[in-house]
Amino acid sequence: ISAVNKNMLRLAGELCQGVHIHPLHTARYIEEYALPHLEAGLQKSGRQRAEFELSTTAFVVPTDDAEQAKDYELKARQQISFYASTPSYRVVMDLHGWTDIAERLSHLAARGQWAEMPQLVTDEMMAEFVVSGTWAELPAKIKTKYAGGLLDRVSYYFPFVPGENDANWRKTVAGFANR
């Protein structure tokens, strides 16, 4: 099951084997909001966190090629602006004090002003939502961001196209293989 808000997180903790945390998340959101609600559900069913799997997809911006990195960053900003405009995901924005930006994004989305939205996603927000680094660095940065048991499984919010970027994907896989 996927969950963002309190009731779905508690339901997941009570009844499911795991939860997929929405890509619009921060480590702080997982630690301070998602985990306590999941724990409440787990407690209700008499289970422990070790019996439950947390997974997510994380926004990444590979920086090996500076020009490509700019494109990847723009695509991440676009997607983040879209998700942040959605009232159902507001809890993440509220936690960080970005409610006003989320409301402005919702206003723009309601008017179909999609091209203006990424400009509202600040560098501070990008630093919280996105992991940037070379393909080889990304695994260590992911492990650092989610250290302390925040997640059990992570995948990149980044397209995988067979035959493209194979050498870089191998670098990432090797980084995760070296635990």
Side-chain angles (χ1 to χ4, degrees):
I1 189 170
S2 182
V4 175
N5 293 299
K6 175 179 73 172
N7 290 337
M8 286 299 288
L9 289 163
R10 288 184 178 185
L11 177 74
E14 181 182 354
L15 300 176
C16 299
Q17 294 174 340
V19 69
H20 181 83
I21 300 292
H22 192 277
L24 187 74
H25 70 271
T26 64
R28 179 178 171 198
Y29 160 80
I30 295 171
E31 187 171 10
E32 295 179 17
Y33 188 86
L35 281 175
H37 292 302
L38 289 166
E39 292 285 349
L42 287 167
Q43 186 176 34
K44 190 172 180 181
S45 66
R47 296 185 300 156
Q48 301 294 315
R49 166 66 178 92
E51 301 170 71
F52 189 83
E53 185 171 284
L54 267 78
S55 67
T56 196
T57 48
F59 288 105
V60 296
V61 173
T63 59
D64 300 75
D65 178 310
E67 286 306 308
Q68 272 189 324
K70 288 178 190 175
D71 183 53
Y72 297 150
E73 183 178 322
L74 175 60
K75 288 178 180 168
R77 272 184 202 276
Q78 289 169 330
Q79 194 62 50
I80 290 165
S81 72
F82 171 72
Y83 285 147
S85 75
T86 307
S88 299
Y89 308 147
R90 186 70 40 89
V91 65
V92 181
M93 301 296 282
D94 292 347
L95 180 67
H96 287 274
W98 300 326
T99 304
D100 60 328
I101 293 173
E103 289 171 356
R104 289 167 47 201
L105 288 166
S106 293
H107 179 79
L108 291 170
R111 285 156 186 71
Q113 295 175 300
W114 308 108
E116 297 174 35
M117 293 170 58
Q119 300 164 27
L120 296 180
V121 177
T122 66
D123 290 343
E124 175 190 10
M125 293 165 72
M126 290 293 285
E128 291 293 329
F129 289 125
V130 178
V131 178
S132 297
T134 66
W135 283 92
E137 294 170 340
L138 286 172
K141 289 184 173 201
I142 292 278
K143 290 175 188 178
T144 298
K145 179 175 182 173
Y146 300 111
L150 290 185
L151 289 175
D152 301 305
R153 180 179 290 201
V154 65
S155 56
Y156 291 172
Y157 195 104
F158 191 88
F160 172 76
V161 180
E164 290 183 18
N165 265 331
D166 287 350
N168 287 325
W169 282 106
R170 280 198 244 346
K171 291 175 190 175
T172 282
V173 170
F176 282 113
N178 299 329
R179 293 177 180 228

